[in-house]
Amino acid sequence: MKYIDEFNDPELAHRLLDEIRATVTRPWALMEVCGGQTHSIIRHGIDQLLPEEVELIHGPGCPVCVTPLDVIDKALEIAARPEVIFCSFGDMLRVPGTDRDLFRVKGQGGDVRVVYSPLDALDLARRNPGRQVVFFAIGFETTAPANAMAVHQAHRLGIANFSLLVSHVRVPPAIEAIMTAPECRVQGFLAAGHVCSVMGTAEYPELAGKHRVPIVVTGFEPLDILEGIRRAVHQLERGEHRVENAYRRAVREQGNPAALRMLEEVFEVTDRNWRGIGPIPASGWRLSDAYRAYDAEHRFDVTGIRTEEPAVCRAGEVLRGLIKPTECEAFGTACTPRTPLGATMVSSEGACAAYYLYRRMNAPAARAPGIPQDPKDSQVSQDSQISHDSQGEMNPVG
């Protein structure tokens, strides 16, 4: 298949669904790790089309959502300083800290700017030598190489007024944490294709074997996801637990060698705290000793941060796959995209935002009869997406 439209073909989708129905004989619970996959699933009603034996659990694959509250509060503290130009993707501006967000800091006079690349922030530093330019470097393995390149370039060009506030996280340790949690119900994973396009698949066979779960590397279009589910269900029904690559047009086993070399040079693995989940060993990156001078936490020495999550927000349970967004009492009432209590309602990859955007306001939702044959049938969802994006200035940071 060469064109995106081919990955939305209703006839092929129904054939995949028929095969899944013919294969499944007992209940299975699969987790899609990536928030982008969650949005695709909810937008196209894939979870409602599946046989009732197949449950999809939404995982913690939203990088904005898992950025810990103390890092958000550090970002707010740094952004409020008069000597700082604070740069971020648009997703982060409305993520609530303990008592404010970056939009409020901007409204109070902070120089907060939305950029589309860390290299844009580096260019700002070059053009503003009298200011400190800080880029909020969050995300999974997908965005890490570009952030590593920005620091590498700053070092090479001698741009000393540039730094990163780093909160990068890694997928394999999160899978390990999910599988070892006492409340875990996950029996198989749809792994994020864009992460694997950078990192490859070398870290997954050990996880699949240790926890006896199939891991299928999957893309983001409806047929990508249905094919991933089909392969995972086939493995589960046969008692298998292998890593399969169902996204070969983008993913190679060895990943992206140039990106991996850049990551190895600039970053080092560290323990990382995940918002709503807690600390996960070896689940993140920080700048290595050779590039520590570009670490905003060290440069600005932000200390004394005290954090407090809203008591009514259950975003942590959503991120751990314990509840669906509609099971949170605040969903759609006290917590909306205009008045978010947690990051899962703000981010373009958050599960709560997906449920609100595509009008999944009640649980359990009724199952749809089929994928729309006419693209006009999904125009309401598309219009809602445009409206939501324009309000939130969202950018992918997966």
Side-chain angles (χ1 to χ4, degrees), residues 186-343:
V186 179
Q187 297 163 295
F189 286 92
L190 304 181
H194 54 357
V195 168
C196 294
S197 71
V198 174
M199 303 301 295
T201 59
E203 293 184 87
Y204 292 101
E206 181 179 354
L207 289 167
K210 177 180 179 181
H211 299 290
R212 301 183 66 81
V213 291
I215 299 177
V216 182
V217 180
T218 309
F220 305 90
E221 298 301 323
L223 295 189
D224 286 324
I225 293 169
L226 286 171
E227 173 64 7
I229 293 169
R230 184 191 71 82
R231 294 193 187 201
V233 169
H234 268 278
Q235 283 200 48
L236 288 167
E237 290 285 339
R238 296 169 181 168
E240 298 173 351
H241 42 85
R242 296 179 287 104
V243 176
E244 285 191 68
N245 182 4
Y247 198 40
R248 291 189 177 276
R249 68 183 186 275
V251 173
R252 302 292 180 267
E253 183 179 356
Q254 70 274 19
N256 184 323
L260 292 173
R261 285 193 298 269
M262 184 58 63
L263 290 172
E264 185 176 358
E265 176 185 340
V266 175
F267 289 123
E268 63 185 23
V269 172
T270 187
D271 299 343
R272 185 66 73 187
N273 191 40
W274 294 48
R275 189 171 191 172
I277 298 174
I280 301 178
S283 66
W285 277 307
R286 65 182 178 189
L287 289 168
S288 63
D289 288 342
Y291 292 92
R292 194 60 52 83
Y294 297 92
D295 189 331
E297 284 197 62
H298 288 268
R299 179 170 295 188
F300 295 95
D301 191 26
V302 183
T303 58
I305 298 292
R306 296 182 180 180
T307 63
E308 184 177 354
E309 294 276 12
V312 70
C313 180
R314 301 178 68 184
E317 294 171 79
V318 173
L319 287 168
R320 297 197 302 276
L322 302 181
I323 64 170
K324 297 291 193 291
T326 47
E327 296 176 70
C328 175
E329 294 78 5
F331 174 80
T333 55
C335 183
T336 71
R338 290 187 180 276
T339 58
L341 295 179

